[in-house]
Amino acid sequence: MEIFQSQVTLIQEKTTALDLMHSKLEQASLSGDEDAFYVADLGDIVKKHLRWTTALPRVQPFYAVKCNPMEAVVQTLARLGAGFDCASQVELELVRGMGVLPERIIYANPCKQTSHIKKAASLGVHTMTFDNEEELIKVARAHPNAKMVLRIATADSGSMFPISIKFGASLEECGHLLKVARELGVEVIGVSFHVGSNSSDPHCFSESIANARGVFDLGADLGHEMTLLDIGGGFPGSDDFIVTFEEIAKVINQSLEVHFPAESGVNIIAEPGRYYVATAFTLAVNIIGKKCLPWNKDTFRGEECAKSVKYYINDGGFGSFADIFHCYFNQKAVPYKQSVGQPLYSSSVWGPTCTAEDLVSNQTELPELQVGDWLIFENMGAYTVSQGTNFNGFSIPRVHFCISSSLPLDFGDENVCCLAVTALEDSVVEGCLIMK
Ligand SMILES: Cc1ncc(COP(=O)(O)O)c(C=O)c1O
């Protein structure tokens, strides 16, 4: 796994990450630098954590590393006391390498390579998910001390990225799987589910929590000591989504109260990914090419475009936009310098590679822009740096980390900032910290 390193700037009070991006864009205009880049605000992650603990006090977050495995992100969350959901040996090694205790890690991949299961055992990570009999047979041989969590399928059609088509045992299968586990001597300690990423239906959580209760009872009847409920990920990353995080949290709390009240003694965890990092990252890309349609000799000479414009940018569907690209999402581009009242044109925005699928935004209204202008994309922290490829020789843009200090006052700005800064001082790169 490539770990990206960058400089960290502690932003002055009343300055935002967007201000930092603007100053970087001014510098780039002067120096002629045209490479795409991110500004990532670790303070935003801290704020999300405070919001989580307020809205879901009974649910311990185990951050889904796959969503954004950058060291600065993982370190910040580790220092905040979060746990981690790892899906592979590399992710397990990354998190354990940062000193996170095995008890704060769940290996949440229901179908694992045997050597990765053995690696988890040697790293002391015992808690892991399964949804099929073969997995139990592998685990019985490779990691006899494992504490298994049965992943159940959900009705996840309301999510932007459903997952139950691939993972999760049906409720009918659960009794059989729990019996097989007993026969093999494999301990099952709980139930997990995932409602699909960016879920728009909070009731999918309540339904799954009720289903999990049924599986807990089944497990207990078969002699398993069931103590862990894992409600997975799927929480929205930004507040402009159909449903807010707090609305979902309310439904979850009510449902937990009914099916897993505090006196049940069951530990509740979740595996949020997108929620923690989406808004922390903002991306600036440079327009490297442009075509006006339909072509005529006036538009070729740089006159105003007649009908619509195709823009080509230096990051795309095989880079930071891989997640969006897979579901044919229209990502909103905002020009860096936009004057009020400029006419808007129907435009499309394309990535830099040589395939026609590399489309970032199919239909968007933009003022006429020129090659060399910048576009800004917000909410770019989830499944961006982690999903991008080097296809056609293009790489993921560099990330400039910063820590905004506009954190809730009752937590004390300085302390929270120091927390994140300390996390980075412990990271492997010397001199990565710049305080302004
Ligand atoms: C098992 C598991 N947990 C957690 C997540 C994180 O989901 P999200 O980013 O929607 O919170 C995923 C995403 O694919 C997942 O597969």
Side-chain angles (χ1 to χ4, degrees):
M1 181 188 304
E2 197 176 349
I3 303 295
F4 308 81
Q5 301 292 355
S6 220
Q7 295 180 330
V8 180
T9 306
L10 183 62
I11 301 177
Q12 297 292 340
E13 222 177 312
K14 297 201 176 77
T15 312
T16 65
L18 212 54
D19 295 331
L20 178 66
M21 167 148 279
H22 287 177
S23 92
K24 296 235 169 261
L25 286 170
E26 289 303 323
Q27 283 166 24
S29 307
L30 294 175
S31 65
D33 190 354
E34 53 189 11
D35 288 342
F37 67 90
Y38 282 97
V39 165
D41 179 9
L42 298 175
D44 194 71
I45 297 176
V46 178
K47 277 187 247 171
K48 285 283 185 67
H49 186 67
L50 300 178
R51 214 170 137 182
W52 180 284
T53 51
T54 306
L56 286 173
R58 287 191 58 208
V59 185
Q60 259 183 289
F62 276 50
Y63 171 66
V65 177
K66 62 181 82 68
C67 185
N68 184 326
M70 292 190 75
E71 186 168 347
V73 169
V74 177
Q75 281 277 18
T76 302
L77 283 160
R79 294 307 165 111
L80 288 168
F84 294 92
D85 146 17
C86 297
S88 66
Q89 173 171 331
V90 171
E91 289 184 1
L92 289 168
E93 285 170 336
L94 172 79
V95 176
R96 282 291 287 123
M98 287 180 187
V100 174
L101 295 175
E103 301 80 66
R104 280 168 58 195
I105 299 173
I106 180 163
Y107 187 177
N109 187 337
C111 296
K112 299 169 278 299
Q113 187 173 316
T114 302
S115 61
H116 292 195
I117 299 173
K118 287 183 179 159
K119 188 69 194 184
S122 75
L123 291 171
V125 175
H126 300 309
T127 311
M128 47 185 74
T129 61
F130 77 106
D131 67 359
N132 65 83
E133 202 170 325
E134 283 301 326
E135 198 68 11
L136 285 173
I137 296 166
K138 279 190 293 177
V139 166
R141 288 194 199 122
H143 191 351
N145 294 326
K147 294 179 185 306
M148 302 305 286
V149 178
L150 175 50
R151 167 108 168 241
I152 56 172
T154 60
D156 58 5
S157 56
S159 90
M160 201 172 275
F161 302 87
I163 318 186
S164 288
I165 189 172
K166 183 170 181 187
F167 292 123
S170 66
L171 293 180
E172 295 73 49
E173 283 175 273
C174 288
H176 173 72
L177 290 173
L178 289 163
K179 257 190 229 141
V180 172
R182 283 295 283 171
E183 283 156 22
L184 291 168
V186 175
E187 201 181 341
V188 180
I189 62 154
V191 174
S192 77
F193 59 80
H194 195 298
V195 298
S197 203
N198 239 2
S199 174
S200 60
D201 181 7
H203 297 288
C204 195
F205 278 99
S206 49
E207 189 184 288
S208 303
I209 290 170
N211 288 341
R213 175 74 260 167
V215 180
F216 260 68
D217 296 341
L218 209 56
D221 286 349
L222 290 163
H224 292 288
E225 204 179 321
M226 309 287 274
T227 53
L228 183 73
L229 172 67
D230 175 358
I231 63 171
F235 306 89
S238 61
D239 287 335
D240 55 10
F241 193 55
I242 312 158
V243 58
T244 66
F245 167 66
E246 278 73 15
E247 283 164 345
I248 293 177
K250 195 171 167 206
V251 173
I252 291 173
N253 287 334
Q254 283 165 350
S255 187
L256 289 177
E257 209 38 56
V258 174
H259 300 289
F260 295 91
E263 4 4 314
S264 68
V266 171
N267 291 324
I268 322 271
I269 67 168
E271 300 165 359
R274 188 181 300 281
Y275 167 79
Y276 267 103
V277 288
T279 47
F281 282 57
T282 306
L283 175 67
V285 299
N286 198 264
I287 297 176
I288 56 169
K290 171 186 172 183
K291 274 189 208 169
C292 293
L293 299 169
W295 181 87
N296 70 43
K297 64 181 175 13
D298 293 332
T299 58
F300 181 69
R301 295 285 167 218
E303 298 291 316
E304 220 174 60
C305 270
K307 282 210 168 133
S308 67
V309 194
K310 278 186 181 168
Y311 293 107
Y312 299 82
I313 59 174
N314 52 1
D315 195 359
F318 293 89
S320 300
F321 296 90
D323 186 41
I324 292 137
F325 163 68
H326 284 140
C327 68
Y328 306 102
F329 200 56
N330 241 354
Q331 186 70 0
K332 189 168 164 31
V334 179
Y336 167 46
K337 280 189 173 152
Q338 186 174 6
S339 339
V340 191
Q342 272 179 294
L344 299 177
Y345 297 91
S346 153
S347 311
S348 56
V349 181
W350 301 75
T353 66
C354 292
T355 72
E357 290 85 35
D358 191 357
L359 176 62
V360 171
S361 196
N362 193 13
Q363 273 195 330
T364 183
E365 296 276 300
L366 288 171
E368 185 165 2
L369 301 164
Q370 308 304 330
V371 167
D373 285 349
W374 293 89
L375 288 174
I376 295 178
F377 291 89
E378 291 186 295
N379 300 339
M380 289 294 291
Y383 306 104
T384 49
V385 293
S386 61
Q387 280 200 12
T389 69
N390 289 327
F391 181 52
N392 272 202
F394 295 102
S395 48
I396 293 294
R398 176 183 178 154
V399 181
H400 298 279
F401 282 103
C402 66
I403 301 165
S404 62
S405 56
S406 55
L407 294 161
L409 285 172
D410 53 341
F411 278 86
D413 288 0
E414 256 182 40
N415 289 342
V416 182
C417 285
C418 286
L419 181 75
V421 172
T422 313
L424 288 148
E425 279 177 328
D426 282 353
S427 81
V428 282
V429 176
E430 255 189 317
C432 70
L433 186 67
I434 296 179
M435 295 243 217
K436 281 192 176 165

PDB file of all heavy atoms in Angstrom, residues 37-62:
ATOM      1  N   PHE A  37      -3.996  18.774  -6.718  1.00  0.00           N
ATOM      2  CA  PHE A  37      -3.597  18.525  -5.326  1.00  0.00           C
ATOM      3  C   PHE A  37      -4.823  18.568  -4.408  1.00  0.00           C
ATOM      4  O   PHE A  37      -5.874  19.115  -4.770  1.00  0.00           O
ATOM      5  CB  PHE A  37      -2.544  19.546  -4.860  1.00  0.00           C
ATOM      6  CG  PHE A  37      -3.058  20.960  -4.764  1.00  0.00           C
ATOM      7  CD1 PHE A  37      -3.621  21.450  -3.594  1.00  0.00           C
ATOM      8  CD2 PHE A  37      -2.995  21.809  -5.861  1.00  0.00           C
ATOM      9  CE1 PHE A  37      -4.103  22.750  -3.511  1.00  0.00           C
ATOM     10  CE2 PHE A  37      -3.474  23.119  -5.796  1.00  0.00           C
ATOM     11  CZ  PHE A  37      -4.031  23.590  -4.623  1.00  0.00           C
ATOM     12  N   TYR A  38      -4.647  17.974  -3.247  1.00  0.00           N
ATOM     13  CA  TYR A  38      -5.694  17.993  -2.213  1.00  0.00           C
ATOM     14  C   TYR A  38      -5.274  18.907  -1.064  1.00  0.00           C
ATOM     15  O   TYR A  38      -4.084  18.997  -0.753  1.00  0.00           O
ATOM     16  CB  TYR A  38      -5.834  16.613  -1.563  1.00  0.00           C
ATOM     17  CG  TYR A  38      -6.579  15.573  -2.317  1.00  0.00           C
ATOM     18  CD1 TYR A  38      -5.901  14.636  -3.100  1.00  0.00           C
ATOM     19  CD2 TYR A  38      -7.958  15.460  -2.200  1.00  0.00           C
ATOM     20  CE1 TYR A  38      -6.591  13.632  -3.762  1.00  0.00           C
ATOM     21  CE2 TYR A  38      -8.652  14.456  -2.852  1.00  0.00           C
ATOM     22  CZ  TYR A  38      -7.961  13.551  -3.634  1.00  0.00           C
ATOM     23  OH  TYR A  38      -8.639  12.547  -4.275  1.00  0.00           O
ATOM     24  N   VAL A  39      -6.257  19.479  -0.400  1.00  0.00           N
ATOM     25  CA  VAL A  39      -6.046  20.012   0.942  1.00  0.00           C
ATOM     26  C   VAL A  39      -6.935  19.165   1.851  1.00  0.00           C
ATOM     27  O   VAL A  39      -8.129  18.981   1.575  1.00  0.00           O
ATOM     28  CB  VAL A  39      -6.415  21.507   1.037  1.00  0.00           C
ATOM     29  CG1 VAL A  39      -6.538  21.938   2.491  1.00  0.00           C
ATOM     30  CG2 VAL A  39      -5.351  22.356   0.344  1.00  0.00           C
ATOM     31  N   ALA A  40      -6.330  18.592   2.882  1.00  0.00           N
ATOM     32  CA  ALA A  40      -7.090  17.734   3.805  1.00  0.00           C
ATOM     33  C   ALA A  40      -7.025  18.317   5.201  1.00  0.00           C
ATOM     34  O   ALA A  40      -5.932  18.617   5.694  1.00  0.00           O
ATOM     35  CB  ALA A  40      -6.514  16.327   3.799  1.00  0.00           C
ATOM     36  N   ASP A  41      -8.176  18.476   5.814  1.00  0.00           N
ATOM     37  CA  ASP A  41      -8.267  19.113   7.131  1.00  0.00           C
ATOM     38  C   ASP A  41      -8.505  18.062   8.211  1.00  0.00           C
ATOM     39  O   ASP A  41      -9.610  17.533   8.355  1.00  0.00           O
ATOM     40  CB  ASP A  41      -9.422  20.130   7.090  1.00  0.00           C
ATOM     41  CG  ASP A  41      -9.606  20.821   8.426  1.00  0.00           C
ATOM     42  OD1 ASP A  41      -8.753  20.648   9.314  1.00  0.00           O
ATOM     43  OD2 ASP A  41     -10.607  21.554   8.570  1.00  0.00           O
ATOM     44  N   LEU A  42      -7.449  17.775   8.968  1.00  0.00           N
ATOM     45  CA  LEU A  42      -7.588  16.777  10.033  1.00  0.00           C
ATOM     46  C   LEU A  42      -8.519  17.272  11.140  1.00  0.00           C
ATOM     47  O   LEU A  42      -9.137  16.477  11.842  1.00  0.00           O
ATOM     48  CB  LEU A  42      -6.211  16.426  10.606  1.00  0.00           C
ATOM     49  CG  LEU A  42      -5.239  15.801   9.591  1.00  0.00           C
ATOM     50  CD1 LEU A  42      -3.870  15.604  10.210  1.00  0.00           C
ATOM     51  CD2 LEU A  42      -5.766  14.471   9.059  1.00  0.00           C
ATOM     52  N   GLY A  43      -8.646  18.584  11.267  1.00  0.00           N
ATOM     53  CA  GLY A  43      -9.572  19.154  12.250  1.00  0.00           C
ATOM     54  C   GLY A  43     -11.003  18.744  11.936  1.00  0.00           C
ATOM     55  O   GLY A  43     -11.831  18.556  12.845  1.00  0.00           O
ATOM     56  N   ASP A  44     -11.312  18.582  10.662  1.00  0.00           N
ATOM     57  CA  ASP A  44     -12.659  18.155  10.264  1.00  0.00           C
ATOM     58  C   ASP A  44     -12.938  16.730  10.771  1.00  0.00           C
ATOM     59  O   ASP A  44     -14.058  16.408  11.186  1.00  0.00           O
ATOM     60  CB  ASP A  44     -12.762  18.214   8.730  1.00  0.00           C
ATOM     61  CG  ASP A  44     -14.196  18.124   8.250  1.00  0.00           C
ATOM     62  OD1 ASP A  44     -14.932  19.101   8.444  1.00  0.00           O
ATOM     63  OD2 ASP A  44     -14.592  17.055   7.731  1.00  0.00           O
ATOM     64  N   ILE A  45     -11.913  15.891  10.749  1.00  0.00           N
ATOM     65  CA  ILE A  45     -12.070  14.514  11.238  1.00  0.00           C
ATOM     66  C   ILE A  45     -12.307  14.533  12.752  1.00  0.00           C
ATOM     67  O   ILE A  45     -13.147  13.799  13.278  1.00  0.00           O
ATOM     68  CB  ILE A  45     -10.826  13.659  10.874  1.00  0.00           C
ATOM     69  CG1 ILE A  45     -10.709  13.566   9.343  1.00  0.00           C
ATOM     70  CG2 ILE A  45     -10.882  12.283  11.522  1.00  0.00           C
ATOM     71  CD1 ILE A  45      -9.485  12.840   8.848  1.00  0.00           C
ATOM     72  N   VAL A  46     -11.581  15.422  13.430  1.00  0.00           N
ATOM     73  CA  VAL A  46     -11.764  15.547  14.887  1.00  0.00           C
ATOM     74  C   VAL A  46     -13.205  15.967  15.182  1.00  0.00           C
ATOM     75  O   VAL A  46     -13.879  15.402  16.047  1.00  0.00           O
ATOM     76  CB  VAL A  46     -10.759  16.569  15.477  1.00  0.00           C
ATOM     77  CG1 VAL A  46     -10.990  16.718  16.984  1.00  0.00           C
ATOM     78  CG2 VAL A  46      -9.326  16.150  15.204  1.00  0.00           C
ATOM     79  N   LYS A  47     -13.704  16.926  14.392  1.00  0.00           N
ATOM     80  CA  LYS A  47     -15.086  17.400  14.611  1.00  0.00           C
ATOM     81  C   LYS A  47     -16.089  16.277  14.377  1.00  0.00           C
ATOM     82  O   LYS A  47     -17.064  16.131  15.108  1.00  0.00           O
ATOM     83  CB  LYS A  47     -15.396  18.559  13.656  1.00  0.00           C
ATOM     84  CG  LYS A  47     -14.914  19.894  14.162  1.00  0.00           C
ATOM     85  CD  LYS A  47     -15.402  20.996  13.260  1.00  0.00           C
ATOM     86  CE  LYS A  47     -14.230  21.622  12.551  1.00  0.00           C
ATOM     87  NZ  LYS A  47     -14.562  22.559  11.495  1.00  0.00           N
ATOM     88  N   LYS A  48     -15.845  15.481  13.334  1.00  0.00           N
ATOM     89  CA  LYS A  48     -16.751  14.359  13.054  1.00  0.00           C
ATOM     90  C   LYS A  48     -16.766  13.392  14.233  1.00  0.00           C
ATOM     91  O   LYS A  48     -17.809  12.840  14.597  1.00  0.00           O
ATOM     92  CB  LYS A  48     -16.308  13.625  11.781  1.00  0.00           C
ATOM     93  CG  LYS A  48     -16.624  14.357  10.471  1.00  0.00           C
ATOM     94  CD  LYS A  48     -18.091  14.210  10.124  1.00  0.00           C
ATOM     95  CE  LYS A  48     -18.489  14.782   8.790  1.00  0.00           C
ATOM     96  NZ  LYS A  48     -17.980  14.153   7.603  1.00  0.00           N
ATOM     97  N   HIS A  49     -15.593  13.193  14.827  1.00  0.00           N
ATOM     98  CA  HIS A  49     -15.528  12.257  15.950  1.00  0.00           C
ATOM     99  C   HIS A  49     -16.348  12.777  17.136  1.00  0.00           C
ATOM    100  O   HIS A  49     -17.080  12.013  17.778  1.00  0.00           O
ATOM    101  CB  HIS A  49     -14.072  12.031  16.352  1.00  0.00           C
ATOM    102  CG  HIS A  49     -13.917  10.989  17.403  1.00  0.00           C
ATOM    103  ND1 HIS A  49     -14.203   9.660  17.173  1.00  0.00           N
ATOM    104  CD2 HIS A  49     -13.548  11.064  18.706  1.00  0.00           C
ATOM    105  CE1 HIS A  49     -14.011   8.966  18.290  1.00  0.00           C
ATOM    106  NE2 HIS A  49     -13.607   9.801  19.230  1.00  0.00           N
ATOM    107  N   LEU A  50     -16.228  14.078  17.383  1.00  0.00           N
ATOM    108  CA  LEU A  50     -16.994  14.656  18.501  1.00  0.00           C
ATOM    109  C   LEU A  50     -18.495  14.527  18.225  1.00  0.00           C
ATOM    110  O   LEU A  50     -19.291  14.258  19.122  1.00  0.00           O
ATOM    111  CB  LEU A  50     -16.612  16.121  18.698  1.00  0.00           C
ATOM    112  CG  LEU A  50     -15.130  16.385  19.013  1.00  0.00           C
ATOM    113  CD1 LEU A  50     -14.872  17.873  19.147  1.00  0.00           C
ATOM    114  CD2 LEU A  50     -14.699  15.650  20.276  1.00  0.00           C
ATOM    115  N   ARG A  51     -18.848  14.695  16.959  1.00  0.00           N
ATOM    116  CA  ARG A  51     -20.265  14.571  16.572  1.00  0.00           C
ATOM    117  C   ARG A  51     -20.740  13.126  16.772  1.00  0.00           C
ATOM    118  O   ARG A  51     -21.866  12.874  17.203  1.00  0.00           O
ATOM    119  CB  ARG A  51     -20.346  14.953  15.089  1.00  0.00           C
ATOM    120  CG  ARG A  51     -21.606  15.646  14.695  1.00  0.00           C
ATOM    121  CD  ARG A  51     -21.452  16.171  13.295  1.00  0.00           C
ATOM    122  NE  ARG A  51     -22.667  15.903  12.539  1.00  0.00           N
ATOM    123  CZ  ARG A  51     -22.821  16.215  11.271  1.00  0.00           C
ATOM    124  NH1 ARG A  51     -21.857  16.800  10.593  1.00  0.00           N
ATOM    125  NH2 ARG A  51     -23.958  15.930  10.648  1.00  0.00           N
ATOM    126  N   TRP A  52     -19.875  12.196  16.419  1.00  0.00           N
ATOM    127  CA  TRP A  52     -20.224  10.768  16.585  1.00  0.00           C
ATOM    128  C   TRP A  52     -20.486  10.442  18.046  1.00  0.00           C
ATOM    129  O   TRP A  52     -21.498   9.838  18.407  1.00  0.00           O
ATOM    130  CB  TRP A  52     -19.089   9.885  16.036  1.00  0.00           C
ATOM    131  CG  TRP A  52     -19.394   8.420  16.170  1.00  0.00           C
ATOM    132  CD1 TRP A  52     -19.340   7.676  17.317  1.00  0.00           C
ATOM    133  CD2 TRP A  52     -19.863   7.547  15.137  1.00  0.00           C
ATOM    134  NE1 TRP A  52     -19.735   6.375  17.056  1.00  0.00           N
ATOM    135  CE2 TRP A  52     -20.058   6.280  15.729  1.00  0.00           C
ATOM    136  CE3 TRP A  52     -20.123   7.707  13.771  1.00  0.00           C
ATOM    137  CZ2 TRP A  52     -20.500   5.174  15.003  1.00  0.00           C
ATOM    138  CZ3 TRP A  52     -20.564   6.608  13.042  1.00  0.00           C
ATOM    139  CH2 TRP A  52     -20.758   5.356  13.660  1.00  0.00           C
ATOM    140  N   THR A  53     -19.544  10.839  18.916  1.00  0.00           N
ATOM    141  CA  THR A  53     -19.679  10.458  20.329  1.00  0.00           C
ATOM    142  C   THR A  53     -20.908  11.113  20.954  1.00  0.00           C
ATOM    143  O   THR A  53     -21.494  10.568  21.875  1.00  0.00           O
ATOM    144  CB  THR A  53     -18.406  10.807  21.132  1.00  0.00           C
ATOM    145  OG1 THR A  53     -18.080  12.170  20.880  1.00  0.00           O
ATOM    146  CG2 THR A  53     -17.225   9.958  20.745  1.00  0.00           C
ATOM    147  N   THR A  54     -21.312  12.273  20.427  1.00  0.00           N
ATOM    148  CA  THR A  54     -22.507  12.930  20.946  1.00  0.00           C
ATOM    149  C   THR A  54     -23.769  12.199  20.476  1.00  0.00           C
ATOM    150  O   THR A  54     -24.686  11.954  21.253  1.00  0.00           O
ATOM    151  CB  THR A  54     -22.566  14.403  20.445  1.00  0.00           C
ATOM    152  OG1 THR A  54     -21.345  15.022  20.793  1.00  0.00           O
ATOM    153  CG2 THR A  54     -23.735  15.162  21.042  1.00  0.00           C
ATOM    154  N   ALA A  55     -23.812  11.854  19.182  1.00  0.00           N
ATOM    155  CA  ALA A  55     -25.047  11.289  18.611  1.00  0.00           C
ATOM    156  C   ALA A  55     -25.200   9.797  18.893  1.00  0.00           C
ATOM    157  O   ALA A  55     -26.319   9.301  18.991  1.00  0.00           O
ATOM    158  CB  ALA A  55     -25.077  11.540  17.105  1.00  0.00           C
ATOM    159  N   LEU A  56     -24.091   9.085  18.991  1.00  0.00           N
ATOM    160  CA  LEU A  56     -24.162   7.627  19.186  1.00  0.00           C
ATOM    161  C   LEU A  56     -23.290   7.211  20.370  1.00  0.00           C
ATOM    162  O   LEU A  56     -22.286   6.504  20.203  1.00  0.00           O
ATOM    163  CB  LEU A  56     -23.691   6.904  17.909  1.00  0.00           C
ATOM    164  CG  LEU A  56     -24.627   6.901  16.713  1.00  0.00           C
ATOM    165  CD1 LEU A  56     -23.948   6.301  15.481  1.00  0.00           C
ATOM    166  CD2 LEU A  56     -25.911   6.109  17.012  1.00  0.00           C
ATOM    167  N   PRO A  57     -23.655   7.667  21.578  1.00  0.00           N
ATOM    168  CA  PRO A  57     -22.754   7.438  22.719  1.00  0.00           C
ATOM    169  C   PRO A  57     -22.501   5.965  23.041  1.00  0.00           C
ATOM    170  O   PRO A  57     -21.479   5.634  23.611  1.00  0.00           O
ATOM    171  CB  PRO A  57     -23.476   8.146  23.876  1.00  0.00           C
ATOM    172  CG  PRO A  57     -24.884   8.341  23.434  1.00  0.00           C
ATOM    173  CD  PRO A  57     -24.881   8.398  21.948  1.00  0.00           C
ATOM    174  N   ARG A  58     -23.422   5.089  22.638  1.00  0.00           N
ATOM    175  CA  ARG A  58     -23.227   3.666  22.973  1.00  0.00           C
ATOM    176  C   ARG A  58     -22.443   2.900  21.901  1.00  0.00           C
ATOM    177  O   ARG A  58     -22.124   1.728  22.093  1.00  0.00           O
ATOM    178  CB  ARG A  58     -24.604   2.986  23.140  1.00  0.00           C
ATOM    179  CG  ARG A  58     -25.303   3.387  24.431  1.00  0.00           C
ATOM    180  CD  ARG A  58     -26.507   2.495  24.663  1.00  0.00           C
ATOM    181  NE  ARG A  58     -26.175   1.095  24.735  1.00  0.00           N
ATOM    182  CZ  ARG A  58     -27.004   0.099  24.395  1.00  0.00           C
ATOM    183  NH1 ARG A  58     -28.227   0.382  23.965  1.00  0.00           N
ATOM    184  NH2 ARG A  58     -26.631  -1.151  24.481  1.00  0.00           N
ATOM    185  N   VAL A  59     -22.183   3.573  20.781  1.00  0.00           N
ATOM    186  CA  VAL A  59     -21.584   2.838  19.650  1.00  0.00           C
ATOM    187  C   VAL A  59     -20.130   3.281  19.446  1.00  0.00           C
ATOM    188  O   VAL A  59     -19.855   4.430  19.117  1.00  0.00           O
ATOM    189  CB  VAL A  59     -22.392   3.087  18.352  1.00  0.00           C
ATOM    190  CG1 VAL A  59     -21.840   2.239  17.218  1.00  0.00           C
ATOM    191  CG2 VAL A  59     -23.876   2.817  18.581  1.00  0.00           C
ATOM    192  N   GLN A  60     -19.205   2.347  19.615  1.00  0.00           N
ATOM    193  CA  GLN A  60     -17.790   2.659  19.421  1.00  0.00           C
ATOM    194  C   GLN A  60     -17.459   2.617  17.937  1.00  0.00           C
ATOM    195  O   GLN A  60     -17.697   1.592  17.283  1.00  0.00           O
ATOM    196  CB  GLN A  60     -16.957   1.561  20.070  1.00  0.00           C
ATOM    197  CG  GLN A  60     -16.376   1.889  21.406  1.00  0.00           C
ATOM    198  CD  GLN A  60     -15.542   0.701  21.825  1.00  0.00           C
ATOM    199  OE1 GLN A  60     -16.105  -0.354  22.157  1.00  0.00           O
ATOM    200  NE2 GLN A  60     -14.238   0.839  21.772  1.00  0.00           N
ATOM    201  N   PRO A  61     -16.898   3.692  17.368  1.00  0.00           N
ATOM    202  CA  PRO A  61     -16.567   3.642  15.948  1.00  0.00           C
ATOM    203  C   PRO A  61     -15.270   2.876  15.687  1.00  0.00           C
ATOM    204  O   PRO A  61     -14.267   3.118  16.347  1.00  0.00           O
ATOM    205  CB  PRO A  61     -16.402   5.131  15.588  1.00  0.00           C
ATOM    206  CG  PRO A  61     -15.998   5.793  16.857  1.00  0.00           C
ATOM    207  CD  PRO A  61     -16.612   4.998  17.985  1.00  0.00           C
ATOM    208  N   PHE A  62     -15.310   1.940  14.746  1.00  0.00           N
ATOM    209  CA  PHE A  62     -14.121   1.236  14.256  1.00  0.00           C
ATOM    210  C   PHE A  62     -13.965   1.703  12.799  1.00  0.00           C
ATOM    211  O   PHE A  62     -14.645   1.184  11.899  1.00  0.00           O
ATOM    212  CB  PHE A  62     -14.311  -0.295  14.316  1.00  0.00           C
ATOM    213  CG  PHE A  62     -14.011  -0.896  15.665  1.00  0.00           C
ATOM    214  CD1 PHE A  62     -14.573  -0.376  16.830  1.00  0.00           C
ATOM    215  CD2 PHE A  62     -13.160  -1.993  15.777  1.00  0.00           C
ATOM    216  CE1 PHE A  62     -14.291  -0.934  18.083  1.00  0.00           C
ATOM    217  CE2 PHE A  62     -12.868  -2.561  17.012  1.00  0.00           C
ATOM    218  CZ  PHE A  62     -13.428  -2.026  18.169  1.00  0.00           C
TER     219      PHE A  62
END
